[in-house]
Amino acid sequence: MAPKSVSEVVAVLSEQGDRAKLLAGGTDIIVQLREGLREADVVVDIKKIEEVTSFNYCPENGLSLGSAVACYNLYEHPELSKLYGALADSTHIIGGWQIQSRASVGGNLCNASPAADSIPSLIALNAIAVIAGPKGERTVAAEDFCTGPGRNVLENGELLVSIQIPAQCSNSGSAYERFIPRNEMDIAVVGVGSWVKLAADGTIADARISLGAVAATPLFAEQASAILIGKEPNEEVFSAAGELARQIATPISDMRGTDEYRSHLVSVLVKRTLITAVERAQN
Amino acid sequence: MSAYKKVHVTTTINGEQVDFLCEPRHSLLEVLRDSLGLTGSKEGCNNGNCGACTVILNGRPVDSCLVLSAEVEGAEIETVEGIACNSNLHPVQQCFLEGAALQCGICTPGFLVASKALLEKDPDASEETIRFDLSGNLCRCTGYDKIVRAVQAAGQQMREI
């Protein structure tokens, strides 16, 4: 079914509970249903709903990104791709071109993979998830949205309507990088998103660093972010932030890499993404 | 239960209006191949990794195995069957042939559709762009070099037209 309003979706979800699954780009849910990882009696296509399929930016309120907006809309957009560099980086490497034509950032967030490429960018950019449900609307910070691998804060009857990302100014910049052994089409061994805002004197006025694939959920590296504030942006400072970020990583060892290797990658990628984020903020 | 009732879908495939009945769980790929006889699109992985089932949906390349057929009501779809113009092969088809950019051929329809979409967006695409944009299409035979060269040659032809 393909309802035309959020309230209809809430009604279906409230009635069907776990037996209803939402369909945005379908690049995760169709595979999961086909492979028996999830089950559903009803699949609800939310792409007929204006609020979840549209996006708009204004300098006062920032970006309002409907939860079903496909990845390509971000990295192909001449202004948004510059304003939200980290999100453009992420959306351009989620799957291949065919996947990016359909997959949405909202879906990537709801799917709650620890290795999701867009979630560290959302956390670094201080994004807020707008959730509709039977009791009305509520908001949750991106870093609090995922509760475990494949699990999120959505309760019975609730859906993610949009993601709100604060407006960016000319002296802010962000970047996302992941490490993968292939060139593309792979799952992050580690992913890091960084955002910085520079003061008029060139020092770091504010910063947010986020880590993916090193814990059960993507993490906000609060202390690593905090020590950057007031500092000159240089390699020494970035390395210090990388070391602090590394300390909150609790990675597992699997076929993609050992825990030790992943921890090492955290400090490398924190440094690299900070360098790019600062460069973008300076330009 | 509505989930098991057949859905009537009207869509446009390769310029022609098409009607079909499908179950809500059927993918676009299943309908193309099994109901409509358009067997050019191939099923490789059936989970969005290989790109053998690539079609153009409303102007964008997608994996048809990851589209539910009920979603394409009112859509415009182009499959590999619609690439040639009457008996004239499209430059990507001609260049794949001339450059021997295929061996077993299973991945080829997906590569043709994705390459056409890529060159329509950017006939001047660099090797790097071609390799990146075609990363959602897997080929286990050619090692990709001949494919990339065929796409570059097709791009050149398209620029000259």
Side-chain angles (χ1 to χ4, degrees), chain B residues 100-123:
Chain B
L102 65 151
Q103 287 179 29
C104 85
I106 286 285
C107 72
T108 312
F111 267 103
L112 291 172
V113 173
S115 302
K116 178 176 177 272
L118 162 62
L119 293 175
E120 281 174 354
K121 186 181 68 157
D122 180 11

Side-chain angles (χ1 to χ4, degrees), chain A residues 205-228:
Chain A
D206 203 357
R208 289 177 66 89
I209 299 168
S210 175
L211 318 178
V214 293
T217 61
L219 301 175
F220 171 42
E222 201 169 353
Q223 281 182 310
S225 308
I227 65 138
L228 292 167

Side-chain angles (χ1 to χ4, degrees), chain B residues 4-150:
Chain B
Y4 303 107
K5 239 193 310 189
K6 286 214 171 185
V7 183
H8 175 241
V9 177
T10 304
T11 190
T12 303
I13 302 179
N14 300 325
E16 278 178 39
Q17 190 181 310
V18 175
D19 284 80
F20 60 82
L21 286 172
C22 64
E23 285 182 35
R25 65 183 176 86
H26 281 152
S27 69
L28 174 59
L29 177 63
E30 286 173 292
V31 167
L32 288 174
R33 290 183 56 85
D34 303 338
S35 308
L36 303 175
L38 293 169
T39 54
S41 306
K42 302 301 180 206
E43 181 186 312
C45 64
N46 212 26
N47 63 20
N49 273 289
C50 79
C53 64
T54 303
V55 301
I56 306 292
L57 175 63
N58 295 330
R60 308 263 338 160
V62 299
D63 294 318
S64 59
C65 73
L66 293 189
V67 177
L68 292 181
S69 47
E71 285 184 80
V72 302
E73 172 69 38
E76 294 259 353
I77 297 162
E78 189 179 351
T79 70
V80 70
E81 288 89 348
I83 285 185
C85 186
N86 299 322
S87 58
N88 297 319
L89 292 181
H90 186 277
V92 290
Q93 293 173 308
Q94 194 63 42
C95 291
F96 267 64
L97 265 180
E98 287 168 4
L102 65 151
Q103 287 179 29
C104 85
I106 286 285
C107 72
T108 312
F111 267 103
L112 291 172
V113 173
S115 302
K116 178 176 177 272
L118 162 62
L119 293 175
E120 281 174 354
K121 186 181 68 157
D122 180 11
D124 220 0
S126 65
E127 178 179 344
E128 198 188 342
T129 302
I130 292 169
R131 286 186 185 272
F132 186 81
D133 281 359
L134 295 182
S135 64
N137 293 83
L138 301 184
C139 172
R140 298 287 85 145
C141 305
T142 64
Y144 301 101
D145 273 354
K146 288 185 171 183
I147 292 175
V148 173
R149 271 179 264 149

